[in-house]
Amino acid sequence: MMINVQPEAGDQLEIEQPVVADMSGMSAEKIWSFLEDSGFIYPQKRQMVDQDSAKATLAKLMHKNNVFKGLVVTRGSSIYAHLSAVRVYDKVWMVQHMASRPYRKEKVSHALMLNLAMLEYFEQSSDIEWIRATYRHENKRVSRLYEALAAQVSRPGLSITQYYNCMRLSDHTFEVPVSAYLEVKALPNDGLSGFECFRGLPRDYEEAGLERRQEFLGVYHLGILVGYSVLEVSSPGLNLSELTNAFRVFMFIEDPEALPYLIQVSTNYYKSLGRHHVIALVEDDLAPSFEALGFERFKRYTFWTWHQSLCRQFYDFIRNWH
């Protein structure tokens, strides 16, 4: 796909017009350099990610596969904006890594050009049912756009917004008292109806030379399932905030003994994989329990998920966005 912006009369054409290009076959090093130069990979994020492993993941994503779509805006040989999406579940894709650098003659926002192109891709893909955008409110340009789009949805069931505290435990271990009445054990991956489906997904990542899998741990009190955690494991840097290498906890009932034990076992799972930072996505009511065990809140994310049938409506809205 090519989206060209025509110059106004009198403009000098010393720099080529912007073109939206697919990232397939591009140099991973060039993409990484742009993400650094644009400020998307800032010092805190650089400390959190294993850069060598993340660059290796990016290099594999540059080859044709069924789990990644990357788009850039170029002017000549230079990159001016970037947007990608990864297939996080069977029919769910996550939009991520929107980055751009200013250009003084920009007639149409490079970021909007990329969103339009990505919407066309989503609309034309038969294996996509839901699209998820993750963003922080502090990123004003992104949050304004996505919140404006969400406000256009009038039919119930086509859009859902969730909020998570991104919490981190770094190079720290803890151990909680464990009652003899408690037990944590693995649950079957299809044992919780309604959770995002991973059907066929690990195989697609394996074919791309990458990893993505999901584990369920259930915590039992006197033999009764009182809560569970969902642990996601992916190739490092699949998402540069490691949202695809994080766990979530869900409790059916309040249990002050079961919750910390489940957090401990989930944390130890990531430690056993050699992860220096353990990331948890935590709803507000559970955050104090994580903090009591040494986790720190360092970001807050909005997870906005919407149905593919909205693509054309969103496309038309963005075309008139100012």
Side-chain angles (χ1 to χ4, degrees):
M1 173 187 296
M2 296 177 63
I3 299 179
N4 291 311
V5 180
Q6 296 301 319
E8 294 179 354
D11 276 359
Q12 295 182 359
L13 297 181
E14 72 274 13
I15 296 182
E16 290 85 347
Q17 293 303 305
V19 175
V20 174
D22 192 283
M23 282 166 47
S24 297
M26 285 190 171
S27 162
E29 193 62 43
K30 184 174 182 178
I31 299 296
W32 187 272
S33 295
F34 167 77
L35 293 174
E36 288 190 318
D37 294 343
S38 67
F40 183 83
I41 300 178
Y42 48 88
Q44 184 186 32
K45 182 172 288 186
R46 190 177 292 109
Q47 292 172 3
M48 283 290 298
V49 71
D50 180 338
Q51 294 187 58
D52 290 339
S53 297
K55 288 179 181 180
T57 296
L58 182 59
K60 292 176 181 178
L61 291 172
M62 293 300 96
H63 300 289
K64 186 177 180 180
N65 58 69
N66 295 321
V67 298
F68 178 80
K69 180 67 173 180
L71 298 172
V72 291
V73 171
T74 62
R75 289 176 179 269
S77 60
S78 298
I79 298 174
Y80 280 82
H82 169 282
L83 180 67
S84 68
V86 291
R87 185 181 170 202
V88 287
Y89 304 109
D90 184 35
K91 292 183 178 293
V92 182
W93 284 66
M94 182 173 75
V95 182
Q96 61 175 14
H97 300 171
M98 187 188 297
S100 63
R101 58 185 181 187
Y103 177 66
R104 61 185 177 83
K105 292 189 176 182
E106 188 177 4
K107 300 297 189 298
V108 177
S109 163
H110 293 152
L112 294 187
M113 292 172 64
L114 288 177
N115 276 279
L116 288 170
M118 191 67 80
L119 282 168
E120 285 199 339
Y121 172 75
F122 289 151
E123 185 180 39
Q124 296 168 12
S125 300
S126 60
D127 64 342
I128 297 177
E129 186 172 354
W130 296 94
I131 297 96
R132 172 172 295 169
T134 62
Y135 61 92
R136 293 185 296 136
H137 185 70
E138 295 88 341
N139 190 332
K140 297 300 183 183
R141 176 177 289 190
V142 175
S143 61
R144 278 186 65 233
L145 173 60
Y146 288 153
E147 288 167 10
L149 290 174
Q152 305 305 306
V153 183
S154 57
R155 291 176 55 192
L158 293 183
S159 172
I160 182 172
T161 302
Q162 301 163 292
Y163 303 95
Y164 289 102
N165 298 290
C166 191
M167 305 189 69
R168 171 180 62 194
L169 186 75
S170 302
D171 296 321
H172 172 71
T173 58
F174 61 89
E175 188 170 347
V176 300
V178 181
S179 165
Y181 302 113
L182 291 175
E183 181 184 15
V184 171
K185 57 184 179 181
L187 296 174
N189 281 9
D190 59 352
L192 297 168
S193 61
F195 204 81
E196 293 101 333
C197 182
F198 254 56
R199 183 174 55 246
L201 196 59
R203 182 178 62 254
D204 289 325
Y205 273 89
E206 288 172 7
E207 290 175 355
L210 298 166
E211 179 182 26
R212 178 147 171 80
R213 56 190 172 85
Q214 187 181 58
E215 306 289 346
F216 291 93
L217 295 177
V219 60
Y220 295 79
H221 195 156
L222 291 172
I224 299 173
L225 181 65
V226 296
Y228 66 96
S229 62
V230 182
L231 301 86
E232 299 195 354
V233 178
S234 305
S235 297
L238 182 67
N239 173 271
L240 290 173
S241 294
E242 295 297 12
L243 300 181
T244 51
N245 274 303
F247 74 97
R248 285 174 281 175
V249 168
F250 304 87
M251 298 299 293
F252 299 124
I253 61 174
E254 289 188 20
D255 191 320
E257 293 182 314
L259 175 57
Y261 185 39
L262 180 59
I263 296 172
Q264 174 181 292
V265 176
S266 301
T267 298
N268 289 343
Y269 178 85
Y270 287 96
K271 293 286 187 181
S272 71
L273 299 177
R275 303 297 167 86
H276 297 296
H277 305 284
V278 178
I279 305 296
L281 297 172
V282 186
E283 296 182 81
D284 289 340
D285 60 331
L286 297 182
S289 297
F290 278 78
E291 288 176 317
L293 298 174
F295 279 80
E296 61 172 331
R297 307 188 203 203
F298 71 106
K299 292 180 184 177
R300 182 172 173 81
Y301 280 95
T302 299
F303 280 44
W304 174 48
T305 307
W306 47 277
H307 194 263
Q308 184 205 36
S309 61
L310 296 168
C311 284
R312 180 50 49 181
Q313 178 183 346
F314 289 169
Y315 184 95
D316 293 339
F317 180 83
I318 290 178
R319 282 181 62 89
N320 297 313
W321 176 261
H322 297 289

